[in-house]
Amino acid sequence: MTSPACSRVLPLAALLALGVAPGSRAMDWPRFRGPDATGISRETGWSWQWPADGPNELWRAKIGQGVSTVVVSRGLLISTGHNARKEAGGEDTVWCLDAVTGKPVWKHTYPAPLGDRFWEGGTTGVPTFDGDRVFHLSRQGGMFCFDAKAGSVVWSKQLNKDFGFAVPEWGFASSPLIVDGLIVLNAGDAGAALDRETGKLVWQNGRGSAAYATAALFEIDGTRCVALLTYRECVAVEVKSGKVRWRAPFKSNYDTNAGQPVIHDGTVELSAYSTPAVKLEARTGKPVDVWKTDTRVHFNAGVVLGGHLYAFHGQVDKREGELRCLDWKTGATKWARPGLGVGSLIASDGKLIALGEAGQLAVIEATPAGYKELAAAHTFAGKCWAAPVLANGLLYVRNMAGDLVCLDLRTTTK
């Protein structure tokens, strides 16, 4: 279910140009949670054997406040950030940088408030590469289609003004999911879809307040659907028609359903910062009764490797947090490790790459046998809620204040 535009294995010549060793596999990271939207990269051969002071820093940039992580495709990196301007009330910027050098390629800025109610504020949703286009949904409901190379606006829509969608309490925060020529959004009561080429509304399920989680693609009896956490439910919706196939209640404190559903082995895992995770049958939406846990997975949905879910558990407001390994079939906790706060993680080549809430970086063996740290470093100070991204041997991490760092994990250097 991944198009060629959404993932790319680089040929030998490109690997050598990037400084990646022959026999390794280099991959782009073109959308939220990677090429397969699982938080797992198919990249191999990157190095976790760092010097004592951590991996080499290639470059550092200031992109503005927020929690939007990066996406990388065809040598370009996209992310977003907020800058306060008293005379203008603030502005958000979509940045396009050279992925290897960090040099600006283009940027697009629009007026936007900080939106710091009960948190520091800034940009939230992650843009999406699809072929020669970049798609971005702002917190205020501005939906943009950019030319990826030039940065020009191909088209734009305003979800509230053009289509009547209510803006959620904390603003729109999900990422655009591009499927079969449609842009599937967490907008309205149970999702909406726009035409990729024009931005025209194709279908919608009500215009009430949306939740904050990105839609997760799966199939029911051969029909492409998305699992979508809404205001107080999870719904399964057909991509082509918008038809709702099932609904399952799922509520969180302050109606902050924000973590993308995790789909694996015919089941769907849901969680929120205040609500223990549950598992549903993907085909019917009915609870899997044998699955029990007290784990509350936060914004970062976690990854499934070898029949186990690795994710961060805790409550942000109580300053608790630990990395956990859960049995995917039963929900049983295999191990739990404090020390990284309520962080985020991705996986590649059988390893977890975790970014702690205070900027701690760790590479961890993905095994239910116990927590085994292979490498560690401290990237920078400041709160970190955005997940790290690995693309073509380079690791990108950012903090909420807007510091973006590129770390070199390539096994050779150019």
Side-chain angles (χ1 to χ4, degrees), residues 383-400:
K383 185 180 290 184
C384 298
W385 280 359
V389 164
L390 176 68
N392 306 311
L394 304 180
L395 185 71
Y396 305 92
V397 293
R398 73 165 291 173
N399 62 14
M400 192 175 291

Side-chain angles (χ1 to χ4, degrees), residues 29 40 53 67 208 220 224 232 239 291 299 339 345 354 382 395:
W29 190 277
I40 302 172
D53 58 351
V67 294
I220 298 178
R224 284 188 170 183
R232 295 178 179 176
V239 169
W291 203 82
F299 318 111
L345 80 162
L395 185 71

